[in-house]
Amino acid sequence: MASTSDIETTNPGSMWELDQDLDVPMDEEASRLKNMYIEKKFSSVLLLRLAFQSLGVVFGDLGTSPLYVFYNIFPHGVDNDEDVIGALSLIIYTLTLIPLMKYVFVVLRANDNGQGGTFALYSLLCRHAKVSTIPNQHKTDEELTTYSRQTYEENSLAAKVKRWLEGHAYKKNCLLILVLIGTCTAIGDGILTPAISVLSATGGIRVQNPKMSTDVVVIVAVTILIGLFSMQHYGTDKVGWLFAPLVFLWFILIGSVGAFNIHKYNSSVLKAYNPVYIYRFLRRAKSEIWTSLGGVMLSITGTEALFADLCHFPVLAIQIAFTLVVFPCLLLAYTGQAAYIIVHKDHVVDAFYRSIPDTIYWPAFIIATLAAIVASQATISATYSIIKQALALGCFPRVSVVHTSKKFLGQIYIPDINWVLMILCIAVTAGFKNQIQIGNAYGTAVVIVMLVTTFLMVPIMLLVWKSHWILVVTFLVLSLMVEFPYFIACINKVDEGGWVPLAVAITFFIIMYVWHFCTVKQYEFEMHSKVSMAWILGLGPSLGLVRVPGIGFVYTELASGVPHIFSHFITNLPAIHSVVVFVCVKYLPVYTVPVEERFVMKRIGPKNFHMFRCVTRLESMMDGYSDSEDFTVSEQKVERSTNALLMSEKAGSNTLCSGSDLSYSSSHDSIVLAKSPLTGNNSLTRYSSQTYRDELEFLNSCKDAGVVHILGNTIVRARRDSGIIKRIVVDHLYAFLRKVCREHSVIFNVPHESLLNVGQIYYI
């Protein structure tokens, strides 16, 4: 007979009991598991290698900005040399303050174990304060080895901020709205980056062929974009190794050409490193100041993508790559272009390509086009990641998520979003046909995301880092001093193309907020209408029905309690399966959930009821269920849940079987890890070998008899006394989104022949 301790050794974390009193601390085991997820120390050689690889993933968008910046600063031409030097000085210190000082040395430290972007910041906040709008947190979530959070002294500033954020629901909603604003404008960035990067790169064709029509350039750009989006389903796994050498070659190219132009045309342009020329430029260009600032803003586009595309590169590797390669090459590129423009003021429109020596023009054109494609790919991939994270947080309709690589979990493809991005990107490229209006739209999207990041960093610095309030205020003031003028400059260009990202952001915001609002209301309905254990116990072991052989998986949003769908089911059908398992798929604000902690099993009610709960814990920031896995999710659940049931049965106690010493009320319905008798818990006793064999035979026979997946289909409707706006939102918009999104049965890959839908209507 195998002992209980043997089972725990072979499959740790799979046995779960109802009684909290059986829980014994396992500090040594928890410490060992946590050490597995502490950031690894990297050797110098490996660190340099990772820094090189990060060039192709993180810096493509920022590196292609020299293609179009000066044209957007001076759309009406250059009047004098001082204007060029002043604009260059603005570019230099904007690059220094925002990408270098703010992002590379401050914001990157706020990554969520390698994941960046606004959702990563929100994930950190959700772990350190109860600010999630879906109240499905459970104290056992904090026992995950990857669930890290801070503790605070009661009277500390961090504790006061935490209590303030948790105090009212409207504060949580305001925080969510802020995150969604940043997310939706980042999606707009995913539309505009391919448009402006590819169009600017292909514009080099006209420099050597001045008589060529603009329509030809647009057609070439659109063709490249169609090819780029059409190849997304193949992923970047096979060609990703080319990205880093290509982008590195691009930075060497623009840096070398910049140094050559400084030496050849006008080395006096180096005086732009004196910030006094910023003041002179702003004082002299009063009438064109907002136009110029909007153009300068484009020099830091891609900075937010730098944070969003962190992709588990060590922060130190990013810092090395930026300070040793990206930053100096960008400074040389902009300085060299400024030196060229001072001598050739009429070439400001195509300053980048015209400043390239004729001997390397076409190789430079090819490298520029490929670099633009790499930059576009990074932004498209970041958009997929954003949508995936929004799905996990219940902020976006269910769509298909396909993993394109078996090696890298972060490489995903979302077909529906891909084609939407392609259509919008082509529409922007073909509709505007020039860099000016696309640049205006691009700058608006970028600056809004930067402002959102700035505001989210304030609670991060207070709660997560426990920074002194003086440092927080300093960070906030310095960031807003730079970003707010750029925001005003971009808003002033709303009628000149800046409306595009606002329209895209508003559209996605409405979709996300409406979906999340109705999702929260549906969850609240499930919480308030869940069935009491007293009612279940009153039905007896047969639940008042015929118990037919088999296992029934009842899917629910609840991580505790018996869902209303179950009572609706058993009051309308005459039979139920011999074994019932309530399955809850729960996303947690962590970057990964260890395999041994992914499935949580427990018994509901007395042993002879044969009712269990399975909570499947997934990470909201990383991998999840997809259509590309080798076997379906439902098969995984059946296999792993059945194995866990067997172990749960074997780990049972006489006390649990009789039910004499336990009160099966909803208050006891919690998920607590059961420990081995060898850990000192003498209240657990081992089953006899005959009892265990009987249980094993019973569960195996139920598994062989068949499995049925029971899914609830809750239809949300607005109450009759609701206002017209609420009726439009709930009865029409949300109903339309539910109609076009994927069903849970498709997401979980449930076989059609074993699916049973149970419908109910909920009025809000």
Side-chain angles (χ1 to χ4, degrees):
M1 179 182 71
S3 66
T4 307
S5 59
D6 294 334
I7 298 173
E8 291 185 344
T9 303
T10 57
N11 193 354
S14 62
M15 296 186 303
W16 299 78
E17 293 285 357
L18 185 66
D19 191 2
Q20 304 180 54
D21 298 333
L22 302 183
D23 186 22
V24 177
M26 295 181 67
D27 296 335
E28 182 178 352
E29 178 71 9
S31 176
R32 184 184 65 81
L33 287 171
K34 285 182 181 290
N35 289 335
M36 294 169 56
Y37 300 95
I38 295 178
E39 185 176 359
K40 297 179 181 179
K41 302 298 182 182
F42 297 94
S43 65
S44 299
V45 175
L46 180 58
L47 199 60
L48 291 175
R49 179 185 174 188
L50 292 172
F52 175 76
Q53 291 176 348
S54 70
L55 292 173
V57 178
V58 179
F59 298 108
D61 193 3
L62 184 64
T64 54
S65 297
L67 287 168
Y68 45 79
V69 168
F70 274 108
Y71 178 35
N72 284 270
I73 296 176
F74 302 109
H76 307 299
V78 179
D79 294 330
N80 56 66
D81 299 351
E82 292 293 318
D83 287 343
V84 178
I85 295 175
L88 175 61
S89 188
L90 261 175
I91 293 173
I92 291 170
Y93 285 97
T94 300
L95 281 171
T96 303
L97 291 174
I98 300 300
L100 181 64
M101 296 183 65
K102 176 188 173 181
Y103 276 87
V104 172
F105 288 107
V106 179
V107 175
L108 286 187
R109 293 179 54 234
N111 69 89
D112 187 15
N113 292 284
Q115 293 295 307
T118 51
F119 271 126
L121 299 178
Y122 186 63
S123 175
L124 281 175
L125 289 176
C126 288
R127 285 212 304 274
H128 290 81
K130 296 179 181 179
V131 295
S132 176
T133 52
I134 298 182
N136 63 345
Q137 297 91 349
H138 198 279
K139 63 180 182 179
T140 55
D141 297 340
E142 302 174 13
E143 297 174 4
L144 279 173
T145 54
T146 54
Y147 196 104
S148 59
R149 59 177 299 177
Q150 298 284 349
T151 56
Y152 313 103
E153 296 181 3
E154 185 175 355
N155 295 323
S156 64
L157 177 61
K160 294 178 181 177
V161 172
K162 181 175 181 292
R163 288 194 296 268
W164 184 83
L165 286 174
E166 298 174 347
H168 298 88
Y170 78 89
K171 297 175 184 177
K172 301 178 183 179
N173 286 326
C174 288
L175 182 63
L176 176 66
I177 289 173
L178 183 64
V179 171
L180 291 182
I181 289 173
T183 300
C184 295
T185 49
I187 295 174
D189 188 11
I191 297 169
L192 296 168
T193 296
I196 193 170
S197 298
V198 174
L199 184 62
S200 300
T202 55
I205 301 175
R206 292 189 64 203
V207 175
Q208 295 293 328
N209 302 276
K211 295 182 180 180
M212 182 180 292
S213 172
T214 304
D215 294 336
V216 176
V217 177
V218 173
I219 291 173
V220 173
V222 169
T223 303
I224 293 175
L225 290 172
I226 292 175
L228 175 63
F229 283 101
S230 299
M231 299 294 289
Q232 289 299 310
H233 67 281
Y234 292 110
T236 59
D237 191 17
K238 296 181 180 179
V239 296
W241 62 274
L242 284 173
F243 288 176
L246 181 61
V247 176
F248 179 73
L249 184 60
W250 165 254
F251 279 116
I252 296 300
L253 171 68
I254 62 176
S256 301
V257 171
F260 172 79
N261 289 333
I262 294 171
H263 174 73
K264 180 178 179 180
Y265 294 107
N266 193 343
S267 60
S268 65
V269 76
L270 294 174
K271 61 185 179 182
Y273 287 81
N274 184 348
V276 72
Y277 286 94
I278 296 177
Y279 170 74
R280 294 180 181 178
F281 173 71
L282 296 177
R283 185 183 61 180
R284 187 171 51 254
K286 291 182 179 179
S287 59
E288 299 290 335
I289 184 172
W290 299 119
T291 300
S292 300
L293 285 178
V296 174
M297 174 66 204
L298 297 180
S299 65
I300 56 174
T301 55
T303 303
E304 187 64 33
L306 179 154
F307 178 44
D309 291 335
L310 196 55
C311 295
H312 285 278
F313 284 106
V315 173
L316 184 56
I318 304 292
Q319 293 171 341
I320 291 174
F322 188 84
T323 54
L324 296 184
V325 178
V326 179
F327 187 62
C329 288
L330 286 176
L331 293 183
L332 286 172
Y334 287 118
T335 306
Q337 282 191 49
Y340 178 84
I341 293 172
I342 288 177
V343 178
H344 304 88
K345 294 184 177 60
D346 56 333
H347 289 174
V348 68
V349 176
D350 300 307
F352 175 79
Y353 279 115
R354 290 187 179 275
S355 65
I356 296 176
D358 292 337
T359 54
I360 62 169
Y361 182 84
W362 289 112
F365 170 77
I366 294 173
I367 294 173
T369 303
L370 293 176
I373 293 174
V374 172
S376 302
Q377 177 61 56
T379 310
I380 294 170
S381 299
T383 304
Y384 295 154
S385 179
I386 288 172
I387 297 297
K388 175 66 173 63
Q389 294 169 11
L391 281 169
L393 293 174
C395 295
F396 201 81
R398 297 179 296 273
V399 293
S400 173
V401 179
V402 180
H403 287 266
T404 59
S405 172
K406 294 183 179 180
K407 297 179 181 178
F408 306 102
L409 298 179
Q411 293 186 8
I412 60 175
Y413 165 66
I414 304 180
D416 301 329
I417 299 301
N418 181 71
W419 303 124
V420 170
L421 290 179
M422 186 187 75
I423 293 172
L424 293 177
C425 189
I426 292 174
V428 169
T429 305
F432 287 144
K433 296 184 180 181
N434 64 79
Q435 303 172 20
I436 294 296
Q437 288 184 309
I438 300 179
N440 294 340
Y442 195 18
T444 304
V446 172
V447 73
I448 292 176
V449 181
M450 287 185 176
L451 284 172
V452 170
T453 299
T454 298
F455 290 126
L456 289 177
M457 281 299 298
V458 172
I460 290 292
M461 295 176 74
L462 290 172
L463 291 179
V464 182
W465 295 351
K466 299 182 181 179
S467 302
H468 195 279
W469 67 268
I470 295 179
L471 293 176
V472 178
V473 171
T474 302
F475 171 82
L476 181 64
V477 171
L478 290 178
S479 298
L480 293 180
M481 282 177 60
V482 179
E483 295 168 358
F484 193 71
Y486 287 130
F487 174 73
I488 299 298
C490 292
I491 292 299
N492 284 335
K493 296 183 178 182
V494 168
D495 59 339
E496 300 176 11
W499 59 270
V500 173
L502 296 179
V504 172
I506 290 172
T507 302
F508 275 93
F509 178 83
I510 292 174
I511 292 173
M512 287 186 173
Y513 193 79
V514 167
W515 185 268
H516 185 74
F517 171 78
C518 294
T519 299
V520 171
K521 291 298 181 181
Q522 183 175 335
Y523 184 83
E524 291 175 351
F525 166 74
E526 296 282 352
M527 285 291 295
H528 294 311
S529 61
K530 63 183 180 181
V531 182
S532 67
M533 280 304 303
W535 185 76
I536 296 293
L537 292 174
L539 297 176
S542 67
L543 300 179
L545 305 170
V546 177
R547 301 296 292 266
V548 298
I551 299 178
F553 286 92
V554 182
Y555 292 79
T556 174
E557 300 290 334
L558 300 178
S560 62
V562 178
H564 180 264
I565 178 183
F566 184 69
S567 64
H568 187 65
F569 177 82
I570 64 177
T571 54
N572 287 276
L573 291 178
I576 192 67
H577 298 86
S578 300
V579 176
V580 177
V581 182
F582 297 101
V583 180
C584 172
V585 179
K586 183 177 182 181
Y587 287 94
L588 300 178
V590 296
Y591 71 101
T592 186
V593 177
V595 175
E596 65 270 15
E597 302 178 46
R598 190 172 292 275
F599 289 87
V600 180
M601 293 296 303
K602 65 175 288 291
R603 188 198 304 279
I604 298 178
K607 172 182 170 296
N608 57 352
F609 276 58
H610 300 299
M611 295 172 62
F612 302 87
R613 181 181 315 285
C614 172
V615 178
T616 304
R617 302 193 287 193
L618 300 178
E619 52 282 283
S620 63
M621 303 303 298
M622 281 290 292
D623 183 32
Y625 294 148
S626 73
D627 297 340
S628 59
E629 293 175 320
D630 295 334
F631 50 97
T632 66
V633 175
S634 58
E635 290 171 349
Q636 293 184 59
K637 281 203 182 81
V638 171
E639 195 67 33
R640 296 190 184 184
S641 299
T642 305
N643 292 338
L645 286 177
L646 297 177
M647 295 179 183
S648 179
E649 290 286 350
K650 186 176 180 181
S653 65
N654 292 333
T655 303
L656 187 59
C657 290
S658 64
S660 58
D661 296 329
L662 288 178
S663 174
Y664 296 102
S665 64
S666 58
S667 62
H668 288 83
D669 193 11
S670 59
I671 306 167
V672 183
L673 181 63
K675 304 300 185 294
S676 166
L678 299 181
T679 61
N681 195 335
N682 296 323
S683 62
L684 284 177
T685 58
R686 301 177 183 177
Y687 273 126
S688 65
S689 59
Q690 182 62 43
T691 302
Y692 173 66
R693 283 195 295 269
D694 292 342
E695 295 293 339
L696 181 64
E697 182 180 353
F698 173 74
L699 289 175
N700 277 323
S701 64
C702 290
K703 177 185 174 183
D704 295 337
V707 174
V708 173
H709 302 268
I710 304 170
L711 273 71
N713 185 19
T714 302
I715 300 175
V716 180
R717 291 284 185 267
R719 292 197 303 264
R720 294 181 179 179
D721 58 346
S722 301
I724 185 171
I725 296 179
K726 187 175 183 179
R727 290 202 300 270
I728 292 174
V729 168
V730 177
D731 294 344
H732 298 283
L733 180 55
Y734 180 69
F736 172 76
L737 293 176
R738 276 183 56 91
K739 184 177 180 180
V740 299
C741 78
R742 312 186 81 214
E743 296 290 340
H744 275 118
S745 58
V746 179
I747 295 291
F748 294 148
N749 290 318
V750 174
H752 183 72
E753 60 274 9
S754 61
L755 171 65
L756 180 62
N757 274 311
V758 180
Q760 54 186 347
I761 299 178
Y762 170 50
Y763 292 93
I764 60 175

